[in-house]
Amino acid sequence: MDRVNATTPSASSADDPARAAFAALRTPEGGRLLAELRDHDPADELATATRLRRTHPAELVSAALGQARLRQRAVAKFGAEDAYRMYFTPNGVEQATRTSVAEYRAARLAALGVRSVADLCCGIGGDALALARAGIAVLAVDRDPLTAEVARANAEALGLGDLVEVRCADVTEIDTSPYDAVFVDPARRGGRGRIFDPEAYSPPLSWATAAALKAPRAALKIAPGIPHEAIGPEAEAEWISDGGDVKEAVLWYGEGFAPGAFRATLLPAGATLTAPAPLPAPPVGPVGRYLYEPDGAVIRAHLVADLVERCGGRLVDETIAYITSDVPYSSPYVSGYEITDQLPFNMKKLKALLRERRIGVLTVKKRGSAVEPEELRRRMKLSGPGSATVFLTRVAGAPTMLIGHPLG
């Protein structure tokens, strides 16, 4: 089911099997079943279902098993304490913001004095819950009736019902003027998977931007791969990574933000790199003793040139985001390596070198190379007590292998 701006009319839960199944899960019997299934092994699901159907309705057992699977998947985003109290839909688990990112975003708004937010396209309520925990009153809106019911149930389950009002409505018809800020999370998936054209979001990026500009402050969640030219000059654009993985981008509007600025934020540390405008193209030069791999959020935010300037280094290739220098440089925005060898791309030479050094554990990183890491490791036939990192990349346009080990 599409979670935003669905065209199907609202129906009572009796007319909608999915909503009826969800309502059954919230009964005392459904709650007991979910508690019993908390630690169940999906590999034993057939036997579990057979056993439970002896004492419970088959429809309820199927719904409980499905919800148990979703809760187990949701632990990675929400943590076990919350995930096993919350309710999910398949799309909700996939599309919801992870708690660490939602809490960071809520903290930025709270620090600016925001006390009420209209959360448009709220999904299962991941962001609404984080906003409420930051002391912000939330109107959470979603067009899909089941999704709205799940969001309401989640607010109640986490004791946040007094701060979160859930409304099933078309977000384009919501009056946001009473609220201090607006948060918009357009749907970026359709029947064929991910949507890459921002104007194909639901609602489109142009509508979301217009809604953001009407509010005193606003945050607009977008895909990390959005083209920079699609970002208007009124927005401060921020890319957020968590544990080294880029999770999302957000456009900030209004008082307290820096229009036209690009920002990269790394969680859980909270380190933030920002620049008011793109720097000129950084210099390119030979590989030095040290190599630095920028965090993905820095790359997405086009702030690699800023790091090159900070470390006094250069790029190994004008099209590759690897930085090199002759002196060590420490920064939360990069992973550093000491390079011991530089070879033209040649599998036989690499294999001989690794065998000579008795390398049994090989980390393979690549940028600008079509070789798959697992295939390379298989062909190396590694053996020995040593470890190394190999970078498959281009240096001044030439396919190259760099061998080294992490700093520190």
Side-chain angles (χ1 to χ4, degrees):
M1 228 182 244
D2 290 340
R3 72 183 178 102
V4 179
N5 289 342
T7 56
T8 52
S10 297
S12 70
S13 100
D15 298 326
D16 184 337
R19 291 174 66 196
F22 177 64
L25 289 177
R26 301 195 68 204
T27 64
E29 183 180 10
R32 288 191 294 271
L33 259 183
L34 287 174
E36 182 177 345
L37 290 169
R38 172 177 173 136
D39 298 316
H40 94 288
D41 185 350
D44 298 331
E45 190 162 297
L46 181 59
T48 301
T50 301
R51 173 176 59 81
L52 292 175
R53 283 170 180 159
R54 296 184 189 126
T55 53
H56 301 281
E59 295 83 359
L60 179 60
V61 171
S62 295
L65 284 167
Q67 189 62 222
R69 289 194 299 270
L70 294 175
R71 284 180 166 183
Q72 289 180 349
R73 285 174 55 195
V75 168
K77 282 189 174 183
F78 291 91
E81 184 176 351
D82 283 353
Y84 285 112
R85 291 189 290 164
M86 293 172 65
Y87 298 90
F88 302 95
T89 64
N91 282 348
V93 171
E94 182 70 26
Q95 299 179 26
T97 305
R98 65 177 49 228
T99 296
S100 56
V101 177
E103 287 177 344
Y104 164 76
R105 189 162 44 222
R108 281 201 80 182
L109 290 171
L112 292 171
V114 169
R115 293 295 175 262
S116 62
V117 170
D119 178 359
L120 308 181
C121 316
C122 69
I124 62 165
D127 281 283
L129 299 174
L131 289 164
R133 280 177 166 167
I136 297 172
V138 185
L139 170 66
V141 184
D142 203 285
R143 176 66 182 268
D144 178 60
L146 174 60
T147 303
E149 288 182 15
V150 171
R152 186 178 295 110
N154 285 337
E156 294 172 0
L158 299 187
L160 299 168
D162 290 343
L163 281 170
V164 180
E165 174 195 348
V166 179
R167 191 178 302 173
C168 182
D170 188 321
V171 298
T172 64
E173 299 174 359
I174 297 298
D175 177 14
T176 62
S177 60
Y179 299 89
D180 296 341
V182 168
F183 174 66
V184 191
D185 181 7
R188 295 176 300 281
R189 283 184 176 272
R192 297 183 179 181
R194 291 182 185 274
I195 296 172
F196 296 98
D197 177 7
E199 283 307 296
Y201 292 173
S202 179
L205 179 62
S206 56
W207 181 90
T209 301
L213 290 172
K214 292 177 185 176
R217 295 184 179 90
L220 170 55
K221 180 178 171 182
I222 54 175
I226 188 171
H228 280 217
E229 56 269 22
I231 300 171
E234 309 91 349
E236 174 190 302
E238 180 175 28
W239 282 260
I240 303 170
S241 69
D242 190 8
D245 295 327
V246 182
K247 295 302 179 185
E248 67 177 63
V250 60
L251 304 181
W252 299 97
Y253 300 85
E255 186 179 352
F257 304 111
F262 285 16
R263 173 190 294 257
T265 297
L266 282 54
L267 301 178
T272 293
L273 181 69
T274 186
L279 291 174
V284 178
V287 177
R289 181 175 178 182
Y290 302 98
L291 189 77
Y292 306 101
E293 180 181 32
D295 184 272
V298 173
I299 296 172
R300 294 281 193 178
H302 292 188
L303 295 176
V304 173
D306 187 83
L307 287 181
V308 172
E309 185 177 79
R310 288 175 181 233
C311 75
R314 54 201 176 267
L315 297 181
V316 302
D317 185 279
E318 64 180 359
T319 64
I320 302 293
Y322 282 141
I323 303 169
T324 188
S325 72
D326 303 310
V327 294
Y329 171 69
S330 177
S331 165
Y333 308 108
V334 299
S335 299
Y337 300 83
E338 184 173 8
I339 299 302
T340 57
D341 300 270
Q342 177 177 342
L343 303 171
F345 183 83
N346 186 300
M347 289 287 198
K348 289 184 178 180
K349 288 184 179 181
L350 178 63
K351 184 176 181 179
L353 184 147
L354 297 177
R355 181 180 298 171
E356 176 187 336
R357 301 205 179 148
R358 302 181 65 202
I359 299 298
V361 178
L362 185 67
T363 300
V364 181
K365 293 179 172 287
K366 66 169 194 169
R367 285 204 177 123
S369 172
V371 177
E372 291 300 325
E374 287 303 321
E375 172 64 14
L376 183 140
R377 272 191 288 265
R378 186 187 65 79
R379 292 177 63 178
M380 292 300 101
K381 298 181 180 178
L382 301 167
S383 135
S387 63
T389 300
V390 60
F391 295 86
L392 307 177
T393 187
R394 293 193 303 271
V395 173
T400 302
M401 301 182 297
L402 304 174
I403 298 93
H405 55 80
L407 290 174

